[in-house]
Amino acid sequence: MRAVLQRVSRASVSVDGAVIGEIGAGLLILICAMQGDTEADAGKLAAKIAKLRIFKDDAGKMNLSVKDSGGAALIVSQFTLAADLRGNRPGFSYAAAPEEGKRLYEYFSGRIAAEGIAVANGSFGADMDVALHNDGPVTIWMDTASL
């Protein structure tokens, strides 16, 4: 699985002009299931993200996890993270099939929630408008192949 994490002071996702998910401080997580990904991959990624210390402590050091900081997670599916860029027009054949991608997206969201982190979600497969206020900015790319 691939993910892009953005530490945010607030973020929201809308579909057809209606806000369907929003958080205050925490993480915006853009997530993509790749061909061959499993629940084990989703669980490993969720556990790593939950423990990742990228929030400031009282001394201003990045020493707290999203849970330690009291933050939430807005999780948005984004199959374009699977882009094959060998040509000038990206291909997305490396992404999991939609049914499997949705299943793993939902499983991943559940694993983040099981870590004790409040979760809001986008709508899998929808045309979404994502708004965020990046805090830092802190943006981190992750891939289970490298964990």
Side-chain angles (χ1 to χ4, degrees):
M1 293 189 84
R2 290 183 179 165
V4 172
L5 314 177
Q6 293 184 294
R7 188 178 75 186
V8 298
S9 56
R10 64 183 179 272
S12 65
V13 61
S14 302
V15 174
D16 296 326
V19 174
I20 62 167
E22 64 184 323
I23 62 168
L27 289 175
L28 170 61
I29 304 172
L30 305 173
I31 188 83
C32 176
M34 307 292 288
Q35 285 185 15
D37 282 342
T38 65
E39 287 182 358
D41 294 313
K44 181 168 66 170
L45 186 61
K48 180 71 172 184
I49 289 170
K51 293 174 182 68
L52 197 62
R53 298 183 321 174
I54 59 172
F55 290 83
K56 294 178 183 176
D57 63 15
D58 291 337
K61 303 282 185 197
M62 287 200 309
N63 207 21
L64 301 175
S65 69
V66 63
K67 183 178 176 180
D68 296 336
S69 71
L74 176 57
I75 304 172
V76 177
S77 62
Q78 187 168 357
F79 78 94
T80 59
L81 292 176
D84 174 358
L85 301 172
R86 286 179 282 187
N88 291 325
R89 181 173 181 220
F92 303 104
S93 61
Y94 296 140
E99 303 80 28
E100 184 65 0
K102 182 176 184 181
R103 187 182 75 76
L104 289 170
Y105 166 76
E106 291 171 351
Y107 182 82
F108 173 83
S109 292
R111 295 308 312 147
I112 291 288
E115 293 282 350
I117 299 164
V119 170
N121 289 94
S123 178
F124 186 91
D127 186 8
M128 295 175 276
D129 181 24
V130 179
L132 69 137
H133 288 259
N134 199 318
D135 177 19
V138 174
T139 302
I140 296 173
W141 180 84
M142 300 177 81
D143 190 320
T144 53
S146 62
L147 294 181

